Structures are given as structure tokens and as C-alpha cells.
Amino acid sequence: MENLKQLLLQEQERLERIVFKTEEQLKNAPPGSLSLSCSKKWMQYYHRVPGEKGRGNYIQKKEQGLIRQLAQKSYDEKVLKLAEKRLQQIRSITRDYAEDEIEKIFFREHRERQRMIRPVEEPWESQLDRWMAEEYQGKPFKEDAPVILTEQGERVRSKSEKILADFFYHQGIPYKYEHPLFLQGFGVIYPDFTFLSRRTRQEIYWEHDGKMDDPVYAQSAVRKIELYVENNIYPGERLILTYETEKTVLNTRILEKLAVRYLL
């Protein structure tokens, strides 16, 4: 399940900005409200002041400023009312909401009871362990390829991939290196790194393109991104991309920000 609480908190911030903006605009709004009347195919405007009876005082067309102010006030009041209502609902949900609360019910049970229970959702740790235990055949290395090993002793194809793999290792982020992925309309590819997202329980793919100043390499990299998109795997959702050129090396600060946003 996607990080619902995080999305709700983002929506809360958006609504809080809307409430602040509309409240500020309403401070400078004229008193009363706008009333419209259509007479002989002409629109007439009236200023209704609190306490007065009838539809209010006629507003001449030359007073367009007042008409716009009253129209804006009516709109702002409706927006403010709805935004405050939604804010109250979101705050009520997020106050005691936790995404793993269903999972925690199982672990609060006595161990003897746990043996007899089939959880409605597989616990995250169990799902991750099962995912990591799956065997697979990665992409073979060419005989003349340099031997580059990560701190875990895993062979990778470049120094940049070693930096990435070592970073994931130190951050405690489980991954699969060059796990085969079938893409409809093309066949099998080997993403540089594959992760299982705790937030969505879906696989996330990380592609590092290290020679983007090489026209042939860049063209191939762009085609691969298009293949992902054609298979409904979109950059910024389930596809993470990093790049390098001869003069622009892998930016570790960008690496950390991407990991925090999508993997941690």
C-alpha cells in the first residue's frame, strides 16, 4: 500500500496554504454579498448588505471593481468552507493512523496464537525475506570485462555501480543486482538494481546511465526508458534514474535524496 499518511499530510499542507490565502483575501473584502439578476437579456448586479431587505442596492456597471471584489468574496468563502471541512477530516484520520497497524495486530498476538493464524496481509519482513530468497540468473559478464567487486563481494560492471551498491548496503536497503525483467514488446532486460518497496509492496527499478555524452549509449538509454514507460513503469514512480558524463560524475547527494524519497 502506498504511503497514504504521507500523501494525506501533503494534502493537509496544500489545504492549509489555501485556507491562509483565502482568509487573507477575505480580510480586505467589502461587506455584504453580490446578487445577480437577468433583465431583458442584460445582467444586473446588486450589493446586498447585511440587515437590509430585498435584493440590495443596484451597482452601476462603472463600478466593476466592486462587482469583482464581491464575486471573489463569494468564491473565497465557498473555498474556505470546503478547505476547512477537508482539513478537519484529514487531521482526524492522520491523528492516530499508522500504515502498519494491521500488521501490528498479528505481532501483538501470543506466539502460540501466531502459529495458528493466517495474517490477512503477509508481514513485511516475511515478504522481504521471501523476495530476497528467490533465485535468479543475472546477466553474464564478458570474459574481458574488468572485475569490480562491492564490499559484499558482489561483482558489478562499473565503479559507479559499486558506489551505488555499497551505498545501499550501508543504508540497509536490500536489492537485487541485474535481476531479469520481462518487458512486453521487447523481451528480457536487466535493470541495474531492483528493490521491493515497503510502501507499495511493488518492485522499483534503478537504472544508472554512465555514458550519456556518448551518442550511441545515450540513444540506447533513452530507448530503454521508453520501454519502461510502454510497460507502465514510470520515472519518479517505479523507475529511478541517475546519469553521468565524462565531466559530470555520480552525485552522491542526489543519490541520497533519491534513496530517501523512494527507498527509505
Side-chain angles (χ1 to χ4, degrees):
M1 181 179 182
E2 195 167 353
N3 194 336
L4 176 60
K5 187 169 184 177
Q6 181 180 348
L7 294 174
L8 287 172
L9 290 174
Q10 291 175 356
E11 177 65 4
Q12 179 177 318
E13 291 180 1
R14 184 182 78 92
L15 291 170
E16 287 172 345
R17 291 193 298 270
I18 290 173
V19 167
F20 176 79
K21 182 177 180 180
T22 51
E23 285 180 338
E24 289 298 306
Q25 290 179 170
L26 286 169
K27 287 179 182 178
N28 300 317
S33 60
L34 181 67
S35 177
L36 280 65
S37 176
C38 186
S39 176
K40 296 181 181 180
K41 298 183 181 181
W42 295 98
M43 187 63 68
Q44 295 178 331
Y45 305 94
Y46 295 87
H47 186 185
R48 300 182 63 182
V49 178
E52 291 186 354
K53 296 181 179 180
R55 58 187 175 183
N57 299 317
Y58 176 74
I59 306 175
Q60 298 183 15
K61 290 186 178 180
K62 64 180 180 181
E63 298 181 88
Q64 288 294 318
L66 177 59
I67 294 172
R68 289 194 180 93
Q69 284 180 311
L70 291 170
Q72 182 68 45
K73 178 184 179 182
S74 176
Y75 168 79
D76 287 342
E77 287 174 337
K78 294 171 185 174
V79 169
L80 179 60
K81 183 178 180 180
L82 178 59
E84 288 179 332
K85 178 182 178 181
R86 294 292 179 247
L87 268 176
Q88 184 178 2
Q89 293 171 334
I90 289 175
R91 286 168 178 160
S92 176
I93 294 173
T94 58
R95 191 174 297 117
D96 63 351
Y97 178 83
E99 295 198 344
D100 60 349
E101 56 191 0
I102 298 295
E103 186 175 314
K104 286 180 177 178
I105 292 175
F106 174 76
F107 289 108
R108 290 193 192 107
E109 295 288 346
H110 190 279
R111 287 187 179 181
E112 185 62 24
R113 287 179 178 270
Q114 289 180 13
R115 287 195 315 105
M116 298 179 285
I117 293 172
R118 179 182 297 173
V120 293
E121 287 185 328
E122 183 180 9
W124 165 247
E125 295 299 334
S126 299
Q127 186 174 350
L128 180 62
D129 289 344
R130 180 170 53 80
W131 181 78
M132 287 295 295
E134 294 173 352
E135 295 185 1
Y136 67 94
Q137 185 64 48
K139 186 177 180 180
F141 289 85
K142 295 180 180 179
E143 290 185 4
D144 59 346
V147 177
I148 303 172
L149 299 178
T150 69
E151 293 184 22
Q152 298 184 86
E154 182 179 33
R155 187 177 180 184
V156 293
R157 298 183 186 277
S158 69
K159 293 180 180 179
S160 294
E161 288 184 350
K162 170 178 166 54
I163 292 172
L164 286 161
D166 290 341
F167 172 81
F168 301 141
Y169 171 65
H170 287 296
Q171 293 296 319
I173 303 173
Y175 66 84
K176 295 179 180 180
Y177 178 70
E178 291 191 341
H179 184 278
L181 171 67
F182 179 80
L183 293 182
Q184 192 72 34
F186 179 79
V188 175
I189 66 168
Y190 296 86
D192 294 332
F193 299 93
T194 302
F195 310 87
L196 186 63
S197 170
R198 181 166 189 166
R199 299 175 185 173
T200 65
R201 307 296 172 98
Q202 291 182 301
E203 288 186 335
I204 293 178
Y205 310 99
W206 189 308
E207 293 281 11
H208 179 70
D209 297 317
K211 300 178 183 178
M212 292 303 285
D213 45 359
D214 180 333
V216 176
Y217 180 97
Q219 185 175 1
S220 176
V222 170
R223 177 55 186 150
K224 185 184 286 188
I225 295 170
E226 290 176 343
L227 287 171
Y228 276 110
V229 173
E230 288 170 5
N231 282 265
N232 300 316
I233 300 172
Y234 300 100
E237 293 181 4
R238 294 179 58 207
L239 177 60
I240 306 171
L241 301 169
T242 47
Y243 307 95
E244 275 187 281
T245 65
E246 186 177 349
K247 295 182 179 180
T248 306
V249 298
L250 178 62
N251 188 323
T252 54
R253 289 186 294 105
I254 297 297
L255 164 60
E256 292 172 0
K257 292 183 71 173
L258 290 170
V260 168
R261 181 171 180 84
Y262 297 106
L263 304 176
L264 295 175

